[in-house]
Amino acid sequence: MKISFESFKNIKDIKTSNLVIFFSEEKVKEFAKGIETSNCKNGECPIKQSIKEFDFKGKYLEISLVGSKLGNFNKLILIGLGKEKDLDKTKAEAIGFKAFKYLNSNKLKEANFLFNIMLEKNGDIKFDTDLELYSGMIFGFSMAQYNFNKYFTGEKLKAKENKIEEITFITNDIKQLKTAYNENEIIKENVFFCRDLINEPANIIYPASCAETCKEMEKFGVEVEILKEKDLKKLGMGSMLAVGQGSDQESHLVVLKWYGNPKSKEAPLAFIGKGVTFDSGGLSLKPSNAMDTMKCDMSGSAVVAGLIRLLAMRKAKVNAIGILSLVENVPSGKSMKVGDIVKSMSGQTIEIMNTDAEGRMILADAIYYAVSKFNPQIVIDLATLTGAICVALGDKYAGLFTNNDDLSNELINAGSKVGEELWRMPLSEIGGFYDRQIDSDFADVRNTGRTKDAGAITAAQFLQRFTNNHSKWAHLDIAATAYLEQEGFLTQKYGSGYGVRLLNQLIKDNYEK
Ligand code: BES
Ligand code: ZN
Ligand code: ZN
């Protein structure tokens, strides 16, 4: 899709077959009064007339398409922004997303966009455009381009392809809008990178191939270290290794290092992602209907990869470590068994009560590795960890578990800004009510709670035991938000990329020089 920015002075200068105008309710009222004169032909004024004919009010997400030959345009598309006081960046993004879907499904190849403008009597365009809102709308528009078509062929592929070819955004400040656009494009590219990793099936993305994909980040200045099973053994990662031991795929731990602020004396930030490239449940085998989406069980790792790639591409002045713990959880004669006891890198022993509670086992070693090796300022892990979080929150919020109120606020605020919402869940101290549920009769800790109750919380409690008492740790349970069954905010269904923008915003707002 070709994108350009133009600065037309008068509405008559615009040469396009499809003109898209975004209007607030206030601007619609002004137009309806009859401000438009120069744009009229034979007494017909296209904008005013279509407002009237379609009873267009400019309500939030309202769309009218006028398919007449009025004015210079074949089609005039009016899109409502709602009341100006209610409009914010997130809403503008949602409008852009919807605009793309609308134009695309109407097979419009080309269009020019005007954002909340007025006209002088002579047709001069009066721009009353808030740059943040306009670029937010453009970002939403751009985010809607995502599709995962690569495995379609022939006619089916053709039908799935985007139809829009060329868009021109009209503005009186090309430079600023272009700058914002270019910054947002980097974000978009990495959310799409993350989505692709999630949507790829498990025969394509498995631990070794995922590590190889990460290796390509070196071209952006990321240091990529890949630890294989013999390295993990040396480190004593008996918990992570147990999960992968039934698989023919070798487990990998990928360490991504982005040192964008090399002079800083502060410790780096650490982000750790669950990377189960396929979760069959292992010997505690999942039923088929619960297994069919389990290629998505490496979403946490995909988010971490997308985040570090994004930080590097935008040259963020921050030092950040990304850790991907990559394994495949399948049954075989070599698989871990229920009742097995393994020793984690932290020295704590784990009794395996359910081989399907594998995410926490790989994270236990990855989190401990991160805190003991890098002594990070903050530690954040992301994981499609429990079905229980889906039951509790649906896909509106991801579950947030943290031992630090400041970090909690920072994360929740960053999430709200980008429409990736978090809901804080309870977490006990070690020895507290929820923590006691994972005490084992045979080992230091068991990998499931004693009952099915509070499944997302007991999973978080398990992770906390491997943080080595780090005082700024957060766990994001993204089981519901990472892979959607229906379209969400700025995202098609399936791999959403939830978390990339959230963590990027967290860093921008709190940890970047
Ligand atoms: N990968 C699953 C959790 C999951 C469920 C992710 C649905 C995405 C969508 C995880 O490894 C798992 O199987 N958890 C078990 C834990 C239980 C055995 C204690 C669960 O939630 O049922
Ligand atoms: Zn599982
Ligand atoms: Zn899992």
Side-chain angles (χ1 to χ4, degrees):
M1 186 167 75
K2 186 172 167 252
I3 296 287
S4 45
F5 298 87
E6 294 279 359
S7 187
F8 296 120
K9 201 168 170 294
N10 192 286
I11 192 143
K12 281 191 188 148
D13 302 334
I14 302 175
K15 304 270 179 292
T16 178
S17 26
N18 307 302
L19 181 64
V20 180
I21 312 183
F22 295 82
F23 273 129
S24 65
E25 289 180 32
E26 288 87 344
K27 294 278 188 307
V28 169
K29 277 191 196 133
E30 284 292 303
F31 251 105
K33 282 187 205 155
I35 202 156
E36 189 183 9
T37 52
S38 64
N39 196 35
C40 308
K41 258 187 207 163
N42 312 325
E44 291 185 347
C45 306
I47 303 176
K48 188 178 126 191
Q49 236 153 287
S50 21
I51 286 174
K52 210 171 141 201
E53 198 176 321
F54 288 83
D55 197 23
F56 180 76
K57 297 265 189 304
K59 294 245 178 290
Y60 181 57
L61 294 178
E62 182 184 352
I63 299 188
S64 289
L65 184 143
V66 190
S68 69
K69 278 266 181 198
L70 294 171
N72 295 329
F73 327 110
N74 286 343
K75 291 193 176 74
L76 184 62
I77 296 114
L78 302 178
I79 304 185
L81 296 169
K83 292 200 172 58
E84 284 179 9
K85 70 169 172 39
D86 295 338
L87 187 62
D88 59 18
K89 194 171 127 258
T90 317
K91 278 196 170 150
E93 289 172 357
I95 289 168
F97 190 83
K98 183 156 180 199
F100 182 96
K101 296 271 166 188
Y102 186 82
L103 298 190
N104 201 46
S105 60
N106 280 284
K107 301 192 169 56
L108 302 182
K109 286 190 178 148
E110 177 271 341
N112 281 25
F113 280 36
L114 280 169
F115 193 80
N116 216 17
I117 47 100
M118 287 300 293
L119 291 182
E120 306 277 8
K121 290 257 186 246
N122 67 356
D124 278 357
I125 305 166
K126 269 203 290 184
F127 291 93
D128 175 24
T129 319
D130 179 312
L131 181 85
E132 195 185 34
L133 297 178
Y134 198 1
S135 61
M137 184 283 292
I138 296 174
F139 179 63
F141 186 83
S142 209
M143 287 292 283
Q145 288 170 53
Y146 183 80
N147 47 38
F148 190 74
N149 283 347
K150 59 190 284 196
Y151 297 111
F152 292 115
T153 61
E155 284 303 309
K156 202 161 177 194
L157 175 62
K158 250 196 200 140
K160 296 263 175 191
E161 270 165 0
N162 289 335
K163 303 294 178 290
I164 304 175
E165 289 169 5
E166 204 176 335
I167 299 290
T168 303
F169 296 106
I170 301 170
T171 169
N172 57 343
D173 193 341
I174 292 184
K175 202 170 159 230
Q176 279 208 53
L177 197 62
K178 241 187 184 166
T179 308
Y181 172 77
N182 289 335
E183 283 171 10
N184 284 334
E185 281 296 290
I186 299 180
I187 298 177
K188 182 197 86 178
E189 180 183 330
N190 288 292
V191 174
F192 287 9
F193 170 83
C194 172
R195 287 180 187 171
D196 280 348
L197 277 178
I198 299 170
N199 288 329
E200 284 287 1
N203 59 332
I204 303 295
I205 288 293
Y206 45 88
S209 64
C210 188
E212 247 168 64
T213 306
C214 288
K215 193 94 180 127
E216 288 166 21
M217 275 184 224
E218 284 177 342
K219 65 172 182 266
F220 301 116
V222 177
E223 220 181 282
V224 183
E225 191 186 350
I226 297 173
L227 306 181
K228 297 195 185 174
E229 288 186 356
K230 69 169 180 1
D231 309 305
L232 305 180
K233 262 185 207 130
K234 267 189 214 148
L235 288 164
M237 292 196 179
S239 183
M240 174 165 169
L241 284 165
V243 176
Q245 78 191 27
S247 169
D248 289 340
Q249 301 294 346
E250 185 173 0
S251 302
H252 286 62
L253 189 93
V254 177
V255 185
L256 304 171
K257 297 172 197 157
W258 168 246
Y259 293 118
N261 190 9
K263 285 190 190 129
S264 165
K265 300 242 173 341
E266 281 173 30
L269 317 176
F271 301 95
I272 300 139
K274 169 175 174 181
V276 179
T277 57
F278 188 69
D279 182 13
S280 70
L283 289 181
S284 311
L285 196 65
K286 284 181 187 293
S288 305
N289 62 353
M291 205 192 288
D292 59 6
T293 59
M294 281 302 130
K295 66 173 183 182
C296 84
D297 212 22
M298 36 59 74
S299 297
S301 271
V303 173
V304 170
L307 173 71
I308 300 292
R309 194 171 179 275
L310 166 56
L311 294 176
M313 281 184 74
R314 70 175 184 82
K315 299 192 168 41
K317 288 200 168 38
V318 68
N319 298 329
I321 310 285
I323 296 178
L324 288 71
S325 56
L326 299 164
V327 301
E328 187 181 74
N329 185 25
V330 290
S332 80
K334 293 197 204 103
S335 292
M336 57 177 174
K337 297 171 290 296
V338 177
D340 282 2
I341 296 176
V342 296
K343 195 174 184 106
S344 68
M345 184 186 176
S346 74
Q348 297 173 86
T349 53
I350 300 165
E351 185 189 12
I352 301 164
M353 298 312 289
N354 190 318
T355 64
D356 197 12
E358 84 299 336
R360 62 198 79 182
M361 291 179 65
I362 64 171
L363 287 171
D365 280 337
I367 291 172
Y368 189 82
Y369 176 79
V371 290
S372 58
K373 176 143 180 152
F374 300 103
N375 187 27
Q377 254 184 86
I378 60 169
V379 188
I380 298 178
D381 74 75
L382 298 106
T384 46
L385 204 62
T386 66
I389 203 68
C390 315
V391 176
L393 301 174
D395 63 19
K396 169 110 180 97
Y397 299 94
L400 164 65
F401 302 82
T402 176
N403 57 359
N404 188 295
D405 293 345
D406 292 335
L407 184 57
S408 173
N409 291 332
E410 290 165 7
L411 278 162
I412 289 170
N413 291 338
S416 305
K417 275 194 191 171
V418 300
E420 295 182 350
E421 307 279 353
L422 284 167
W423 193 269
R424 190 172 183 181
M425 301 284 287
L427 183 78
S428 299
E429 288 179 359
I430 291 178
F433 175 77
Y434 290 115
D435 180 77
R436 291 200 296 277
Q437 313 297 313
I438 53 166
D439 279 337
S440 157
D441 295 336
F442 290 100
D444 297 329
V445 61
R446 41 184 282 155
N447 78 335
T448 62
R450 284 194 173 269
T451 66
K452 279 204 159 58
D453 295 352
I457 307 174
T458 50
Q461 296 293 157
F462 181 93
L463 299 181
Q464 184 179 233
R465 294 233 189 158
F466 298 88
T467 57
N468 208 13
N469 295 314
H470 195 287
S471 58
K472 224 173 172 187
W473 159 71
H475 156 59
L476 276 47
D477 194 337
I478 58 170
T481 54
Y483 197 77
L484 304 173
E485 297 299 334
Q486 57 201 11
E487 191 176 289
F489 176 66
L490 301 197
T491 178
Q492 289 72 10
K493 56 182 175 174
Y494 308 128
S496 69
Y498 175 103
V500 175
R501 292 183 66 210
L502 162 65
L503 296 176
N504 180 53
Q505 193 68 41
L506 171 88
I507 293 170
K508 241 187 199 160
D509 290 349
N510 306 284
Y511 298 97
E512 209 169 325
K513 287 282 143 351

